[in-house]
Each structure stands twice: as structure tokens, then as C-alpha cells.
Amino acid sequence: MTGTDLEVEVRLPSGRGNPVWKAAPTVLLRFRSLFAALAVGAFLVSVVATAYPLVVSASENELLASAIGNATVTPYGMGVAYRSNGVGFDQAFPGSGELIWQEREDVFTQEAARSAELGPTERAILGDVVTVTDRGGEPPASGPVEGRLFAGTSALAHVRVLSGADGPGVWLPDYVATPLRAEPGDHVILHSDSSEVRVAVDGVYASLYTRPRQGYWRLWNDQIYPCPEITCSAPPQFILSDLDRMQPLSEALGFSRATFAWQAPAVTDPPLTLTQASRLAAFSDGLKRRMSVGAPLFRLFRCCGRTFHRGGSSDVTFTGNADLVVQQVEQRIAAVQGPMVVLLVAGLAIALAVVATAGVFVVLGRRVEMGVLTIRGWGPLAFGSRAALETVLPALIGGGAGFAVALAVVTWAGPAASASSQARAAALAAAIAGTIISIVAVGVVSGVAFVSRHEHRHRIARVIVALPWELAAFAAAWALARSLSEGGVVESGGIQRPQPAVFLFPLALALGVGILTARLARFALRRVRSRGSGVTSSWLAVRRLRSSPGLTSLFLVAGILTLSVSGAALATVASLRTTVEAKAKVFVGSQVQVQVGRDAEVVSGYGFPLTMVTRFREAGSIDDLETTFDLLLVDPETFASAAYWNDAFSDDPLPTLLDRLSTPREDGAVPVVVANGGGLAPDSITVGQHRVPVSPVGTASTFPGTSSDTRPLLVMDRNALETAFRGVPDPLATPRAITEIWIDGPSREVVESIDELGVFPLLVITAEEVQDVPFIDAAVQTFLVLQVLGFAAVALLVVVAVVYLNARQRGRAVATTLSDRMGMPRSTMRTASVIELGALLLVAAVIGTAAGLASASVVVPSLDPLPSIPPEPLIVWPLAASFVTFLCLAAAALAGGSSADRGARRSSVAEVMRVAE
Amino acid sequence: MSRNDEVAVRFEGVVRTYRTPTGEVRALRDVSAELPRRGISAVVGPSGSGKSSLLRLVAGLDRPTEGSIVVKGIEVGRASNRRGRAVRRSTVGYVFQRPSDNLLAHLTVAEHLRLASRAAEVSDDELVATARALGIVHRLDHRPAELSGGEQQRVAVAQALASGASVVVADEPTAELDSEAAEGVLGRIADLAERDITFVLATHDPSVMSIAGHELALEHGVVAGSDEPRASAEPVEWTALRWPGIGDGDGPWMPAALGGAALRLRGISRSYGDGDESVRAVDRVDLDAAPGEVVALVGRSGSGKTTLLNIAAGWEVPDEGEVERPGGQDPTWSDVAVVPQHLGLMDELSVRENIEYPVRLAGESAARRDLVDDLLEQLGLSSLQRRSPRETSLGEQQRIAVARAVVLGPALIVADEPTAHQDAGSGAAVLRTLGDASLAGSCCVVATHDADVLGAVDRTVRMSDGRFVDG
């Protein structure tokens, strides 16, 4: 009798409950690759779900900060302001005896304090017009100079100080100081009709009318810029005084009334979020209503418009631009949100595909467990539930990591502004939801995988599986392409956004191509016949691929889908960026365009390359054709140094064209370059009433300065034109001929240095402003993220494939060892793994890249950012990126295949054999 | 009691056809039969005859292409998935052919029994009694990886018994058990069969057949003796294998690599584990085997046979002792070929390609083409040669592995239970193939508990607790 047969009392280990369920939460720790794959899947789901609210919120807040940062808005423009004129310094509020301005200030301050989004209330007082003379009482030779007393909280901080320092006197605008030759330390005399006061000059500042409008001064724009035309004469500019001295000074000049204003700017630290801005807009609207007719505060504020009262009449205004700013931000964010939703869906689809694939392996990768539990009567619900329970731990780890990474990436590498607390809460909720979705998805997929493997399926299910789904995908792609042929942009409520087809078309096309390729590959593999009598790597690789047709197909479809989407995104982003840059710079001429007066002359020594041109829209007609054309007069010597140029514009290099333009012709014809002419070769043109013979010396599809896609542009040397029109009325003496200075350099620095040009700028346009097309930006950003996601998915796919190959080869440890003994060279076995993975990756890369480029060639033309400006959208093939992708995939195949083969040799054959005993 | 009450399982016109990448496989053709409610029914027939397919249908794990299967009054052939699961939970217990396929790697034996008994009101005492009857009571807190193949099979049977099922279906339950273990299992089965539990056992084991009260014989998917034509019936031709370079009647051919003994083991010992957990699997064993000799190693599961074969084959290094084998420390397939229990067939290759694989690697494809044909024919694999091994039965896979082992005429063939899953006819084909190889000069060392094998070998060596024992 052996020890095992002894009749000793034996008890089963204690513990009721189902041991399978009890072990489920930690059982995947035994399957590290599967655990890692599920964690990665949950990580991706969480990243995508978390990033969406964070990015949207941060983008909103960045746009808001940008809008508030606009000089014409500033925190003052975001805040609330009240102004009323004709208020007596000593005027009492009827019934209370309080000074009316004091009462208003108290109530306004109290009201503003109710909003957490508003800062302290500031007061401003605008007095009457005074005449200013020097201390001798003499007006300047150019005539009397007028000014207007003004005092305001921190007013001096919102002017450009030219000279001086704070003191007991006043600050003069240079509009006043220059004719009087007044300088800090001097004295001037302020005259009213009834009195005069001698005041010290503390300093001189740049007159406000010469400066761009600013938020702080918005209440007074009607007093600073009395008429919109730049040629209007300046109104009396403000003579700045202290608030404390305003009333005595005014009264000394005999003024008993003034215009009083209070404004509460928006808080700046921390910056407002869009939610706060919306709250501020609502508060502003409410306050205005409370001041309006019949409301509680009307009697005190009498807002708004011209009101008549016992003391006379007042122009009363209340402003609060928060609602406009919020609307502007929402318009821009709406153009981003649509693509972001598509991005969210695509990202979730990719992430959930990873989760689902891992979910399939949770069941199918554990064949024995599946068989054992099947004979125990387990069904899809039990399998799915157990798989879900097993996924909790990796999903929590992946989901938590995804939330943290998304938060960190958006914070440090995302939009400049931070996300709101609500967005963070939403992101946390999304991460939790994403984690739960991952768990549920694994459960569902596992249940379905069980059904597909072990349950009896109805015939209809087999029919559905056998359907040629690529036809459905191609049909969807065809419908989407048709939709795109009518334009990739939709407009609603004045907001343009890319239509979903822009993003869905590449997916549909890639899916169709992927399924078709997989089907053809299976067909081809079935028909491969062996030649020769040995065992080669390719002989083995082909058989491996053929023996797993389902996995081969799945990998090909997934690979082509991800690589195609990545390729399409890569090409689309490159194309859109190139197109929008080309169009913007063609329109502007260079990086910055400054429109100046016709006779303006630039001082020498300016810091950036520049050229001066004259753009003459609808300058005349081409003889015989009666075609209207635009004319661009250039300076051939400086043009190339500053103007934007792309060699794709012309067969001839720009210097050659310019050289031909500046070379006089013996026949007297004016050399011209014909751009956007569609083959035009004019002999003569008529400008005004004057006919000029011309000689085309070059052609271009477009040319810097082109502003219409329907009219040809004739480019001419300015001197040649002057010669041709000598003795006849100047053809450029028309408002349609605009003199422009094109400057090449960083936009911000160029704009800040425009003062150094020594010319009066009528208008400044930058290429960046023209490039700022919200829907293009939205499309570019979306494709950029798709590109990153696509490549991440490709990388993940490779990892999954390697993990699978590794697991498969490990499961074939006995076969591999037997092969070794049979004389199979390890290098051949390793090369077979490399070829197996490499063939799949190569096919996926070639077909995927081709499908991606085909997608881009459909999508890009549908997204013409500036359709009125040539050239047509440019399609850029990202050859370098594609080459790098191919190299990376080749390296992945080499490393992955080698790794898979090593996996087979890590198992102990002796152990396997011994266990078998 | 009506006649229906006396029938546990009824088959009527059952057809099962599988669609595979290499074509249709007709596993069952118009099978009509009845299995009695009481006692043990043995489903017998050559490997590949459809036994496993039939058992899967009884357990509701598969559905017939045509026909009806009624188990205990339940039409399982057309039952809904839900109904099928209920049947498996409470009515039909199933034991897979391969022992390790019945167990979850992370659960102990006790946990397996608890899992199996959840649907039934089975007390702990009854579970312990079942474990004791099957000789696994000392393994209750062990996991599958710590059990021998025989112990795994006994746990699988214990699970089926613990589930309280009234019909237990087992696919070759004793195929990988030694005779003592098989006796324990069968004794318990016989006891339970007396208690109104129906056992349906697919087997080629005479000991199983001896306790069966009813036998259903299948051959090529039809009930043996029926009038159904045997479309794929393949008569075994007992012709001599055409070894390359040997004319018929030339006598034994000695592989070139051989010297004196084909295998010499001296003082071989091998232990596993440390300290108190240490197990001495092989203990100071000496063995000599000559070219052309067939030596059988017999003994219970866990007696050390496979460890000794591993050492002989060169998969394991002994702790003590010396090994002399053809090819030395780095033998080739021509030196030492093996038929392991884990067969190591390459799923990506067809049946023929698996057999040809070592030939291709040796660069002898042309020279051994006839031999490959002969092996396919002798082992009943000709009609399967284009299929993947996955599309064949376990017995057929085993025969593929045997063909692959002998195809190069190696100096030493090490085979672990090469007939475990064979019926009498296929087992004879395997033995003849090994015998042909030995006649051609190969030395064969075969671990087995198949009595038929013992009658066909030159010498039998018995092992117990890692040592050779007399008798």
C-alpha cells in the first residue's frame, strides 16, 4: 500500500464559493502579455476620453485669453463700464443729499463686487475742452491748440509715455505739446471761456488717436477718434490730470460739470475660463437690465441712451463686451469641436479595437480554460462576466495611467491655457467611464468570441460573416467622396467647419482596401505551391501565414487601416499647411504687408528685407481679348529679397523673371510676366485711355500679389511703366492702385518695428492673419492627432503581433526543439518569423500608404482654405516620412521576428516533456 | 419501465460533416444507435473513425449536420444554446481526451472538484471519497503543473463524477494511464455505473471494453457492420517499407552512425525540487540497448519513464551518471529521433509535410519520397496527407509523429506512449512501423503501458519510483 492510499482523514481545503470567480481578479497576472495589452488598451481609451474635455476646455480658455489679450478688448473690454455726461461735481441725488456721482460710484462698486469675475472699480472723469498756450499765453504759430481735461484711475499706465515723470502737474499729448514745444518741467496755460489756469507739465505722451484702439479707452473712443477716416483731423486730445486735482482744476476753469465713468475690468489672475466669462456676460447683461427703465437702479443710473432730467439731459452708456467675446470664442471653438468629436470617435474606435482584440485573446488565447468551463456549462454571459472581472485590474492601471498622462500632456504640451476645474472633473468622469467601457467591452467581446467559437450559430450569422464587406466600405467611401466633391466644408450659423466626410472618407477607403487586400492575400496564399525540396525561410513563412488565415486577415486589415489613416493624415496635414501658407503669402506678398501712401519713402537701414510694390486691381484690359487684368508693379532689385516665392509657381526661377522684367526691349514693348493667365500672351494692354505694347517674358501659375483667381495678373517693372506712361496722365492716380511694402521676417517683430520704416502705415496685414482660417486649423489639428493616433496604433499592432508570435512560438517549443534536432538552422527559423511579420507589415505599409495618399488626394482639394486666391490646393506627398515609416516597420519586423523566435527557445522542453508524464 | 426509460442516448441518422480549409471531412455518416441507461457503453473503433465527434454530440458541444441525438429524453442535437449549457451543467459530464485539457492551470485539485460539484449537491465527504477512489487524495492542494499526466486524467474523471452528471462522456479516459491507475478509475466508474449513472467511453483499451456492458463500434463514421459504404476506408497494406538504398529482402540495414550499443546509460539519476520537496525521478539506472532492438519501458505514471526517455533523447541532463547515445551530446534526427507525448507537430504544415520535414532538412526528399508514401499508407494516413494535423484525431497525429520519427532511419528512436491513442489495428501499424525501423537497424526505446506493445518488443524493462525492478 502506498502512502497515497492510506485511510487517513482528509478534508477539502476550506472555503466555499466558485474558485474560478475567486481567482478571476488576479488571474491575468499569469498572462503578462495579455495583462499588458489590456492595460494598454484601457490606457488608450482613458487617454482619448480624458484628453477630449481637457483639450476642448484648454482650447476654449486659450482662445478666450487670446481674445481678451487683443488690445481692443483687454480685461476692461471684458468688464462692465458706465458713463454719463453732464454730471455736476456738486450735484446731489434728489432725496438723499448725497452727491450723485458719489452715490453712483458706491452703488456701481457694490454691484460690480457681486461678480467674482470683476476686479476693483475704477473711476474716470472727462472735463471740457480748453485752449492751451505756452506760459507766455501765446498760441503756437500753427494756430490755437485745444485739449481736454481727463483724469482716470491708472490712465497713465495705458498711454505711451514719450517723456516725463509723475508730478503735481498734467501730462500733455504730443498733439498739444509738440506745437507748443512744451517739455516736462515747463508750464502751460489752460484757457476756458471764463478763466485760465497755469499748470506744470509733468510729461508728454503719444496722442491716443495715433494709437490703436485699446480696451481701457473704449468708453472714450468717440472722443478720441471722432471719425473713422484716417484723414480726419484729430479731436482735442486728453490732458491727463490726477483724479484728486480734477475737480479743483475744472472748477478753477469755471467748469461745474463733467462726464463721469466707472468701469470694473475683468480679473486677470487667474485668467478667466470660458465658464467664468459666460457668467460674467450674464452678470453684465443683468446689471444693464437693472439699470434700465423701470428697473431698481434706473433712478440712479438712468441707463441708457439720451435721458432728460431735472438737471438737463445726459448721454448715458453702459458697456460690457463679455458676451461678444464669449460669442467669438464659441464660434472658433465650434469649428474645433466638430473635428474633435470625430477625433474622439476615431480615437475611441482605435483604442477600443485594441481592447477588443485583447478581449478576444482573453478567451481564445486560453483554449484549455475555455474548454473546461464550456463542459461545466458556462455560457457567453458567464465568460463575458469573468473576462470583465479579470480586466478590472489592468483596466484600472491603464485607465489611471491614461488619465494622468492625458492630464500631464495637455497641461505641459497642450494649449497654453489650462483647463477649467469643471473640465478636469469631466475628464476624471470620462476616464472612469472609459475604464468601465474598457471592462465592459472586454466582457462583451469575450462573450461574443465564446459564442463564435463554441455556440451554435444560426446560418444567417455565417452568411453575415461571409458577406463581401469591402463592397460596403467602398460604397461608403464613394458616397463620402461624392459629398467631398461638393466641398469639404459646411457652414451653419456663420461658422465654417470641416464636414465629417473629411475624416470618414479615409477610414472607409482604408477599411475597404484592407478587407479586399486580406481577401486577396488569403486567395494568393492558398495557391502558393512549393518548389524545391528543402526547407527555406520563405517556405515556412508562407505556410505559417496560410495556416492562420483569420489572424493574417485581421492583421492586414488593422495594419492597412492604421497605416492608411496615418498616411492620409500625414499627406493632408502637409498639403493643407503648404497650401494655406502659399495662398496667404501670395495674397500678402510676403510675411507682412504694409499699405502706405503713394509717395511714401522708406528710410534706409531698416532691419528686415523689404520691397515696395504697387498693386493695381482691375488696372485695365488686354487688347483684343477685353479681359480685365490686375497689375503689379515691382522693383526688380529688391523684389526677390522680400517677396514669397515657390518654385512650383513658374518654370523659370524668380531671378530670371525679374531680370527679364528689368531688361528694356528694343521694340519698346514693356516686358511683363503673366500670372494666372491660363496661356494668355498679350501684345498690348490698355490702362486708362492709354494703350501700351507689352511683351510677355515669362508665365507663372500664380505670383505674389495675386488677389483674384479669375483675373490674370501682369507683373511689370515699376520703372518700365513710368517710361511707358511718360507724358500721359498718371494711371496710378486712382484708389484702386495701392502702394504696399512687403517685408520678410517674423511677423511679430516686423509689426513692432513698423514705426522704424519712417512711413505712415495705412493698413498692416500679416500672412499669419490670412492663414488663420479656423476650419483649416481645425482640420490640420484633427489630422495631426489622427496621425499620432494612427502611428501609435501601428506601433501597438506591431507589439500585439510580436506578443502573439511570441506566445505562438512559445507554445511550439517542442516543435521548435524537434526542428533543431532535425537540422533546421536557427537562422532559417528566425528568418521565417521575420519574413512572416515583415510580409504582413510590408503589404500593410505599401497598400496602406497608397490608400492614404489616395485619400489625401480626394480630401485636400475639398478643403480650399482661400478659394479666391490661387493656387489650387497643393498636394504634398510626405516621401521622407513614408520612407522613415517603412524603415521603422522593417526594423520592427526584424526585432519582432527575432524576438518571437527567441520566445520558442525560452521554454524548457524537458519541463514540457516531464509534465506530459 | 418503458423501453424509452431504458435508453440513455439515442442516435437517429446522425451525420456530422466538418468544413475545413482543405475540404470537407465527413466524420459521421448516418449513425443510428441506442446506448442503455444503465452501465457502461464503450464506443470503439479505429482512430479517426468518429468516436470523438460522436461524444461531442452527446455532450452538446457540437451539433449534428443531420439527424437527432436524444440524451435522457432531451434532444441535444437541436437544443438551444441555453438548453445545451444546462445539459452540460447537470446531465452530461465530459472528459477530454488529453488530460491537461481538462484542468485550469491556476486551480488546485480541490478547487477543480469544488468547481465541478457546484451544480450538484455533493458533500465534501463524497468529493474526498471520489478523490480517494481515484488515488489523488494526496494531491488535493496541488495544481495541474505539479501532477503527472495520469494524475491529471484521474482528476478529470473525478471532476466528471463530482458534477453529479447522470451521463458521463469520456474520450479515452485510460489512454494515458498506467494499468494500476486505469484499474482504479475503471473500478470507480463500474461502481458508479451501478448507481444509475450512464458512462459513454470512447476507447481502444481492452480493460475498458471488458467492463462495458454495451459496445458501439464505429468505423469510418458509420456503425460497424452497417450497410453504409465506407467511402474513405483505407485497407492497410502490410508491404515492406521501401528504405532508400535497400532492396527487398536484403535484410537488416545498419545506419551508418551506429557502432556497438545504440544507447548506453550508466548510473543515471535525476531529481527535481529542493529540500523536502525534492523528488528523485530516476535513481541510479543502467540500460543498454542494441541496434535493431526494441526495448519497452513500463511502469505507473510518475515512475520515471518519461524522465529517462528525456535523458536518453538528450532533452535533459542527468544529475549523475553517463549517457552514450548516437551523435553524442548534440545528436541529429538521424542519430536520435523521438515520438514525444507532446507530439510537436507543426500545425502550419500538412500531414505529409510534417513527415517530409526532416527529410527535406536532410536533403533527401527525392531519395525518400517512396518511403514517405509507404509510411503514409502503412499508418493509414494517405487520405489525410493534405490536411493540417489540427484536422486529424489525436491517434492520427500520433501516427504522423511516428512516421516522422522513423523516416530518416535513425540510430535510436525514443517513443513515449506511441500507441496510447490507437485502436488495435492502428496500434499494430505503429508497432509494425517501429518494428520495420528496427529491422532496418534502428534501436527503439518505447515507454508504454499497452499490453499489445509488450508482446511486440524484444525486451521489457519495468520501472517503479525511478528504478528498474524485476519482473
Side-chain angles (χ1 to χ4, degrees):
Chain A
M1 182 176 279
T2 65
T4 58
D5 296 322
L6 289 173
E7 292 292 333
V8 294
E9 185 180 354
V10 176
R11 290 186 178 280
L12 286 179
S14 61
R16 305 300 294 181
N18 189 319
V20 174
W21 288 104
K22 282 162 67 178
T26 55
V27 76
L28 285 187
L29 292 171
R30 295 162 41 82
F31 303 90
R32 281 174 294 177
S33 302
L34 206 49
F35 189 95
L38 285 167
V40 168
F43 171 84
L44 286 177
V45 172
S46 179
V47 161
V48 175
T50 300
Y52 177 74
L54 291 176
V55 170
V56 168
S57 172
S59 300
E60 285 172 349
N61 295 338
E62 185 180 32
L63 286 169
L64 180 68
S66 171
I68 295 174
N70 187 310
T72 63
V73 180
T74 76
Y76 290 95
M78 276 298 289
V80 293
Y82 169 86
R83 188 187 82 173
S84 175
N85 67 350
V87 180
F89 285 109
D90 298 319
Q91 184 182 353
F93 187 59
S96 73
E98 278 281 330
L99 291 175
I100 195 167
W101 69 264
Q102 188 67 59
E103 183 75 4
R104 283 177 173 169
E105 182 167 292
D106 292 346
V107 173
F108 186 93
T109 302
Q110 288 168 16
E111 289 291 327
R114 287 172 47 219
S115 170
E117 286 75 36
L118 289 175
T121 297
E122 298 178 4
R123 185 203 312 160
I125 306 169
L126 177 65
D128 271 352
V129 176
V130 295
T131 305
V132 189
T133 62
D134 63 15
R135 60 182 161 184
E138 293 296 324
S142 58
V145 182
E146 290 183 332
R148 200 161 180 186
L149 290 173
F150 181 91
T153 309
S154 67
L156 206 52
H158 297 92
V159 297
R160 184 180 174 208
V161 171
L162 299 178
S163 60
D166 207 5
V170 298
W171 284 74
L172 297 179
D174 57 354
Y175 177 79
V176 172
T178 303
L180 292 172
R181 301 189 180 187
E183 293 180 354
D186 291 345
H187 285 77
V188 294
I189 299 173
L190 309 179
H191 303 265
S192 68
D193 291 344
S194 57
S195 184
E196 62 180 43
V197 175
R198 182 170 181 267
V199 292
V201 175
D202 289 339
V204 178
Y205 71 95
S207 301
L208 293 173
Y209 84 101
T210 65
R211 308 289 301 159
R213 295 172 187 241
Q214 296 179 57
Y216 178 84
W217 296 106
R218 78 199 186 288
L219 268 178
W220 314 103
N221 281 344
D222 57 339
Q223 303 299 325
I224 298 168
Y225 312 98
C227 69
E229 289 77 25
I230 199 82
T231 52
C232 287
S233 60
Q237 294 294 293
F238 297 170
I239 297 168
L240 305 183
S241 168
D242 281 350
L243 276 168
D244 293 342
R245 291 199 296 275
M246 185 65 184
Q247 184 173 349
L249 190 57
S250 295
E251 288 175 343
L253 288 163
F255 303 134
S256 61
R257 292 178 177 273
T259 299
F260 280 79
W262 293 273
Q263 57 182 348
V267 293
T268 55
D269 189 20
L272 286 183
T273 64
L274 188 61
T275 308
Q276 291 171 315
S278 301
R279 207 156 52 214
L280 176 55
F283 172 82
S284 173
D285 187 49
L287 181 56
K288 185 178 181 181
R289 280 202 305 274
R290 281 159 58 77
M291 290 179 174
S292 59
V293 179
L297 301 178
F298 175 72
R299 188 159 168 265
L300 178 62
F301 287 96
R302 295 179 178 278
C303 188
C304 300
R306 171 155 292 187
T307 61
F308 297 91
H309 45 84
R310 217 183 313 172
S313 65
S314 304
D315 286 327
V316 180
T317 57
F318 176 89
T319 61
N321 294 335
D323 55 344
L324 297 175
V325 171
V326 169
Q327 187 185 17
Q328 179 190 346
V329 171
E330 286 179 341
Q331 279 179 346
R332 291 188 72 86
I333 202 68
V336 175
Q337 260 175 335
M340 285 290 287
V341 169
V342 176
L343 176 62
L344 177 67
V345 171
L348 280 177
I350 291 172
L352 285 174
V354 173
V355 171
T357 306
V360 169
F361 279 99
V362 165
V363 172
L364 301 187
R366 292 149 71 192
R367 180 187 57 83
V368 171
E369 291 191 17
M370 198 169 171
V372 170
L373 295 175
T374 301
I375 61 170
R376 297 270 80 85
W378 279 45
L381 183 63
F383 266 103
S385 302
R386 185 181 75 130
L389 185 58
E390 290 174 349
T391 308
V392 168
L393 186 59
L396 283 177
I397 293 172
F403 175 75
V405 167
L407 195 62
V409 168
V410 174
T411 302
W412 291 321
S418 58
S420 66
S421 57
Q422 292 95 327
R424 285 167 193 267
L428 180 59
I432 293 170
T435 304
I436 292 171
I437 287 171
S438 300
I439 294 169
V440 172
V442 170
V444 171
V445 167
S446 301
V448 171
F450 169 80
V451 169
S452 69
R453 180 57 67 95
H454 277 275
E455 298 272 86
H456 308 297
R457 283 176 292 168
H458 295 291
R459 190 163 294 169
I460 184 72
R462 290 199 294 269
V463 172
I464 288 173
V465 170
L467 283 176
W469 288 106
E470 64 269 39
L471 294 182
F474 284 133
W478 179 77
L480 291 165
R482 276 182 62 87
S483 166
L484 288 176
S485 68
E486 293 165 9
V489 183
V490 290
E491 186 171 342
S492 68
I495 301 169
Q496 286 186 316
R497 55 171 69 90
Q499 60 162 309
V502 167
F503 310 103
L504 293 178
F505 173 74
L507 287 171
L509 184 66
L511 193 61
V513 170
I515 297 174
L516 179 63
T517 305
R519 199 181 294 281
L520 293 174
R522 288 177 69 160
F523 181 81
L525 282 170
R526 276 205 298 269
R527 272 149 188 77
V528 172
R529 292 283 173 262
S530 62
R531 289 178 186 163
S533 56
V535 176
T536 62
S537 303
S538 56
W539 182 86
L540 199 52
V542 165
R543 275 149 187 79
R544 286 179 179 176
L545 289 169
R546 187 162 59 190
S547 70
S548 307
L551 280 171
T552 299
S553 300
L554 189 67
F555 189 91
L556 277 178
V557 172
I560 288 172
L561 186 65
T562 50
L563 281 162
S564 174
V565 168
S566 307
L570 206 62
T572 306
V573 167
S575 300
L576 288 178
R577 280 183 166 164
T578 305
T579 301
V580 81
E581 184 193 19
K583 282 174 173 271
K585 289 186 175 173
V586 162
F587 178 75
V588 171
S590 184
Q591 199 68 46
V592 178
Q593 176 195 110
V594 181
Q595 294 184 11
V596 295
R598 190 181 160 197
D599 300 324
E601 286 188 15
V602 177
V603 298
S604 59
Y606 181 66
F608 297 100
L610 61 83
T611 187
M612 188 175 277
V613 304
T614 299
R615 193 189 320 226
F616 190 175
R617 290 188 173 84
E618 299 179 48
S621 61
I622 295 173
D623 293 344
D624 303 330
L625 295 174
E626 298 183 353
T627 302
T628 307
F629 65 89
D630 292 346
L631 188 62
L632 182 72
L633 304 177
V634 302
D635 174 6
E637 285 189 11
T638 58
F639 189 84
S641 67
Y644 168 72
W645 184 255
N646 185 324
D647 286 337
F649 292 169
S650 174
D651 294 335
D652 298 312
L654 180 63
T656 303
L657 293 175
L658 294 172
D659 187 49
R660 292 175 189 164
L661 285 178
S662 58
T663 305
R665 291 183 60 84
E666 291 179 358
D667 59 3
V670 179
V672 294
V673 171
V674 182
N676 192 32
L680 279 177
D683 294 329
S684 64
I685 57 173
T686 299
V687 179
Q689 301 298 318
H690 189 62
R691 185 168 177 273
V692 179
V694 295
S695 173
V697 294
T699 59
S701 60
T702 188
F703 205 85
T706 308
S707 53
S708 166
D709 61 338
T710 56
R711 291 189 302 273
L713 175 76
L714 301 189
V715 184
M716 203 178 278
D717 181 352
R718 171 189 292 275
N719 295 327
L721 180 96
E722 286 175 0
T723 304
F725 282 82
R726 189 167 292 149
V728 300
D730 184 355
L732 303 180
T734 166
R736 296 204 307 280
I738 297 169
T739 304
E740 300 169 357
I741 301 170
W742 295 350
I743 308 169
D744 190 22
S747 294
R748 179 184 287 269
E749 293 172 31
V750 170
V751 169
E752 284 176 355
S753 68
I754 283 177
D755 283 352
E756 298 166 19
L757 281 170
V759 297
F760 189 84
L762 300 175
L763 184 64
V764 177
I765 304 173
T766 67
E768 284 179 6
E769 291 168 346
V770 179
Q771 278 179 241
D772 184 20
V773 184
F775 79 82
I776 288 294
D777 193 40
V780 166
Q781 294 303 323
T782 304
F783 275 114
L784 270 178
V785 181
L786 267 178
Q787 179 185 317
V788 172
L789 268 180
F791 282 122
V794 172
L796 200 62
L797 192 66
V798 171
V799 170
V800 168
V802 171
V803 167
Y804 166 72
L805 290 179
N806 213 305
R808 188 192 67 185
Q809 291 303 92
R810 193 171 293 192
R812 293 177 175 177
V814 175
T816 305
T817 305
L818 295 180
S819 286
D820 284 349
R821 176 159 292 184
M822 290 172 201
M824 177 70 165
R826 291 193 171 190
S827 60
T828 305
M829 193 68 105
R830 186 167 53 245
T831 309
S833 295
V834 172
I835 290 175
E836 186 183 4
L837 183 59
L840 289 173
L841 289 175
L842 178 69
V843 172
V846 170
I847 304 290
T849 303
L853 296 182
S855 291
S857 67
V858 172
V859 169
V860 170
S862 75
L863 289 173
D864 195 341
L866 300 161
S868 63
I869 303 173
E872 293 291 309
L874 305 169
I875 295 177
V876 177
W877 306 118
L879 296 176
S882 298
F883 181 68
V884 170
T885 304
F886 274 63
L887 282 183
C888 290
L889 291 176
L894 197 61
S898 303
S899 152
D901 188 60
R902 278 199 298 275
R905 299 177 198 285
R906 275 199 290 269
S907 298
S908 163
V909 175
E911 188 71 11
V912 174
M913 300 289 191
R914 191 173 64 77
V915 167
E917 184 192 19
Chain B
M1 187 175 280
S2 70
R3 185 173 173 280
N4 278 346
D5 291 337
E6 291 298 316
V7 176
V9 185
R10 175 179 293 120
F11 305 97
E12 285 181 9
V14 173
V15 175
R16 184 63 178 105
T17 305
Y18 298 103
R19 287 190 181 85
T20 70
T22 53
E24 281 194 348
V25 178
R26 302 193 70 187
L28 296 172
R29 309 150 180 260
D30 196 20
V31 172
S32 295
E34 291 178 346
L35 303 180
R37 179 190 182 108
R38 282 183 169 276
I40 300 166
S41 294
V43 181
V44 299
S47 62
S49 60
K51 302 188 298 295
S52 296
S53 295
L54 193 79
L55 263 54
R56 287 176 58 78
L57 294 174
V58 173
L61 292 170
D62 197 2
R63 276 186 173 177
T65 311
E66 293 174 28
S68 154
I69 300 152
V70 179
V71 178
K72 293 278 183 174
I74 303 165
E75 170 54 273
V76 295
R78 299 195 190 98
S80 67
N81 289 317
R82 181 189 295 268
R83 184 80 171 131
R85 289 195 292 274
V87 166
R88 287 196 293 278
R89 260 197 306 276
S90 58
T91 307
V92 181
Y94 191 90
V95 178
F96 286 111
Q97 195 169 16
R98 202 189 297 265
S100 57
D101 284 356
N102 292 288
L103 306 173
L104 304 181
H106 60 284
L107 297 189
T108 63
V109 172
E111 287 171 330
H112 276 95
L113 296 182
R114 282 203 189 288
L115 176 67
S117 65
R118 284 190 62 75
E121 294 300 322
V122 181
S123 68
D124 278 10
D125 288 344
E126 287 177 277
L127 293 178
V128 170
T130 303
R132 194 185 301 281
L134 290 164
I136 52 171
V137 73
H138 63 299
R139 296 290 208 178
L140 285 175
D141 57 350
H142 287 225
R143 291 194 165 81
E146 298 164 324
L147 306 178
S148 71
E151 287 169 332
Q152 289 178 357
Q153 188 72 316
R154 281 178 268 163
V155 174
V157 174
Q159 278 188 104
L161 299 175
S163 70
S166 57
V167 177
V168 175
V169 178
D171 200 353
E172 302 194 41
T174 60
E176 301 195 12
L177 301 187
D178 57 72
S179 55
E180 284 184 48
E183 192 179 327
V185 170
L186 295 176
R188 184 66 178 156
I189 288 176
D191 290 346
L192 290 163
E194 294 295 315
R195 286 197 268 157
D196 204 22
I197 295 178
T198 306
F199 282 87
V200 182
L201 312 176
T203 188
H204 329 109
D205 186 347
S207 59
V208 176
M209 295 180 203
S210 68
I211 63 165
H214 180 81
E215 187 174 289
L216 172 61
L218 293 177
E219 200 167 332
H220 300 291
V222 299
V223 177
S226 75
D227 294 331
E228 277 291 310
R230 297 175 187 179
S232 63
E234 213 177 309
V236 175
E237 296 288 338
W238 295 104
T239 58
L241 300 177
R242 285 173 284 177
W243 298 97
I246 302 178
D248 285 344
D250 282 357
W253 165 75
M254 304 292 286
L258 288 178
L263 177 67
R264 181 174 293 125
L265 305 177
R266 287 286 176 275
I268 299 297
S269 294
R270 180 76 170 100
S271 299
Y272 302 108
D274 298 316
D276 294 342
E277 299 291 320
S278 177
V279 175
R280 202 164 181 88
V282 177
D283 190 8
R284 287 166 291 173
V285 166
D286 296 330
L287 176 68
D288 284 320
E293 185 182 21
V294 181
V295 179
L297 287 179
V298 296
R300 294 200 64 175
S301 299
S303 59
K305 302 189 299 293
T306 301
T307 302
L308 192 62
L309 289 189
N310 280 346
I311 291 169
W315 303 139
E316 275 192 81
V317 177
D319 300 330
E320 297 170 21
E322 290 179 5
V323 181
E324 287 180 38
R325 68 172 81 82
Q329 295 303 309
D330 192 17
T332 65
W333 199 252
S334 297
D335 298 322
V336 182
V338 294
V339 183
Q341 282 194 47
H342 280 238
L343 300 169
L345 297 177
M346 299 179 77
D347 287 340
E348 63 266 43
L349 304 184
S350 68
V351 168
R352 186 184 183 96
E353 286 170 339
N354 264 283
I355 298 170
E356 284 179 339
Y357 192 66
V359 177
R360 282 174 171 268
L361 286 166
E364 297 184 27
S365 290
R368 293 185 185 261
R369 184 167 294 125
D370 292 342
L371 177 60
V372 171
D373 289 337
D374 291 348
L375 285 169
L376 284 165
E377 192 167 346
Q378 178 154 303
L379 290 165
L381 300 170
S382 292
S383 64
L384 310 175
Q385 59 179 311
R386 291 189 187 282
R387 285 196 202 162
S388 161
R390 283 179 301 200
E391 298 164 6
T392 62
S393 72
L394 192 51
E396 289 160 347
Q397 291 174 22
Q398 214 166 25
R399 300 206 294 274
I400 299 167
V402 168
R404 183 184 60 182
V406 304
V407 73
L408 281 183
L412 174 63
I413 298 171
V414 175
D416 200 354
E417 303 283 2
T419 60
H421 298 280
Q422 307 300 331
D423 61 281
S426 301
V430 168
L431 291 176
R432 180 177 170 93
T433 304
L434 291 174
D436 282 352
S438 71
L439 286 175
S442 296
C443 169
C444 301
V445 180
V446 181
T448 186
H449 13 78
D450 185 342
D452 290 344
V453 175
L454 300 183
V457 301
D458 299 320
R459 184 156 54 108
T460 299
V461 180
R462 297 192 181 278
M463 283 193 82
S464 177
D465 294 330
R467 295 183 180 184
F468 288 164
V469 292
D470 294 336

